[in-house]
């Protein structure tokens, strides 16, 4: 029985070793590149605003802020804040690209309100009270119904993946 037990343990250790060997290249790459990772949760409407304000720390003139899944449900509770955000974003010279829900065209077609020239909208049939902000090394998933919560991930590789995904969706989204 003891030998059987040791055989099972040896098999488990062999499997764990294989898993670690699989992860090592990624961990070494992260370490070499000095990738810093963070995860935070922001609660309430003030939390959603606080997460969005990181745009001004992470981006500089000429950079692009991306938002996927914008719709009137997401816009309504923070309408005046978003107008202020886009005014400040435009003043900072930060571009914006939005993929919004198709039935929200009337709201988002008022480009002048959001900073004409530095913002562009396209439309897809994306639904739901969730939108995703992508900027710098950050990805923020915002839940905009009931309990307002933003889940922030700071990870360059994750942000790059989301940017690539966004740009693929941008190509198939319809112009306003």
């Amino acid at each position: 029985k003891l030998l059987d037990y040791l055989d099972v343990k040896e098999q488990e250790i062999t499997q764990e070793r294989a898993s670690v060997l699989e992860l090592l290249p990624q961990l070494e790459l992260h370490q070499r590149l000095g990738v810093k990772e963070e995860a935070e949760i922001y609660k309430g409407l003030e939390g959603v605003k606080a997460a969005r304000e990181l745009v001004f720390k992470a981006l500089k003139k000429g950079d692009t802020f991306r938002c996927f899944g914008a719709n009137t449900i997401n816009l309504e509770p923070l309408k005046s804040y978003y107008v202020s955000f886009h005014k400040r974003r435009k003043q900072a010279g930060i571009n914006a690209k939005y993929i919004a829900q198709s039935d929200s065209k009337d709201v988002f077609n008022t480009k002048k309100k959001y900073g004409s020239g530095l913002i562009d909208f396209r439309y897809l049939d994306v639904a739901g009270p969730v939108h995703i902000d992508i900027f710098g090394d950050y990805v923020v998933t915002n839940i905009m119904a009931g309990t307002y919560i933003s889940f922030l991930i700071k990870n360059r590789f994750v942000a790059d993946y989301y940017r690539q995904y966004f740009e693929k969706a941008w190509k198939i989204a319809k112009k306003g």
Side-chain angles (χ1 to χ4, degrees):
K1 288 230 178 224
L2 284 173
L3 289 175
D4 289 342
Y5 173 79
L6 290 174
D7 287 342
V8 168
K9 285 295 177 193
E10 186 177 25
Q11 237 178 354
E12 288 173 359
I13 289 172
T14 301
Q15 289 171 345
E16 287 177 18
R17 180 177 175 74
S19 295
V20 167
L21 287 173
E22 228 175 87
L23 289 175
L24 273 178
Q26 286 180 342
L27 294 171
E28 288 170 346
L29 180 61
H30 275 101
Q31 188 175 24
R32 257 196 334 268
L33 295 175
V35 173
K36 297 195 173 156
E37 298 174 324
E38 294 175 26
E40 294 182 36
I41 298 173
Y42 293 81
K43 294 183 180 179
L45 291 174
E46 291 304 313
V48 173
K49 290 180 197 178
R52 176 65 67 94
E53 286 298 308
L54 292 171
V55 166
F56 297 109
K57 292 180 182 177
L59 300 181
K60 61 187 183 310
K61 185 177 182 173
D63 288 343
T64 301
F65 166 78
R66 292 166 178 83
C67 181
F68 183 78
N71 60 48
T72 52
I73 295 168
N74 298 341
L75 178 67
E76 198 55 43
L78 294 170
K79 197 181 264 185
S80 63
Y81 167 74
Y82 288 140
V83 171
S84 166
F85 169 82
H86 286 293
K87 183 178 178 182
R88 292 179 292 123
R89 178 195 54 74
K90 183 180 178 185
Q91 288 170 345
I94 297 169
N95 300 302
K97 292 169 87 171
Y98 275 76
I99 297 177
Q101 190 169 319
S102 295
D103 65 4
S104 300
K105 279 184 186 180
D106 294 342
V107 173
F108 292 112
N109 267 339
T110 56
K111 281 188 186 181
K112 288 178 187 162
K113 185 194 308 186
Y114 296 104
S116 182
L118 293 177
I119 192 166
D120 201 4
F121 291 93
R122 293 210 180 161
Y123 301 92
L124 280 175
D125 290 324
V126 291
V130 173
H131 68 272
I132 300 167
D133 297 340
I134 308 153
F135 55 94
D137 292 345
Y138 295 92
V139 175
V140 182
T141 302
N142 301 282
I143 299 171
M144 299 295 293
T147 304
Y148 297 95
I149 297 178
S150 295
F151 297 96
L152 176 140
I153 298 171
K154 182 179 181 187
N155 178 298
R156 185 181 343 164
F157 295 106
V158 171
D160 286 346
Y161 172 81
Y162 272 86
R163 257 187 293 283
Q164 289 172 9
Y165 183 78
F166 180 95
E167 292 303 327
K168 286 179 183 179
W170 184 259
K171 287 178 183 175
I172 62 169
K174 295 176 182 151
K175 293 181 180 182

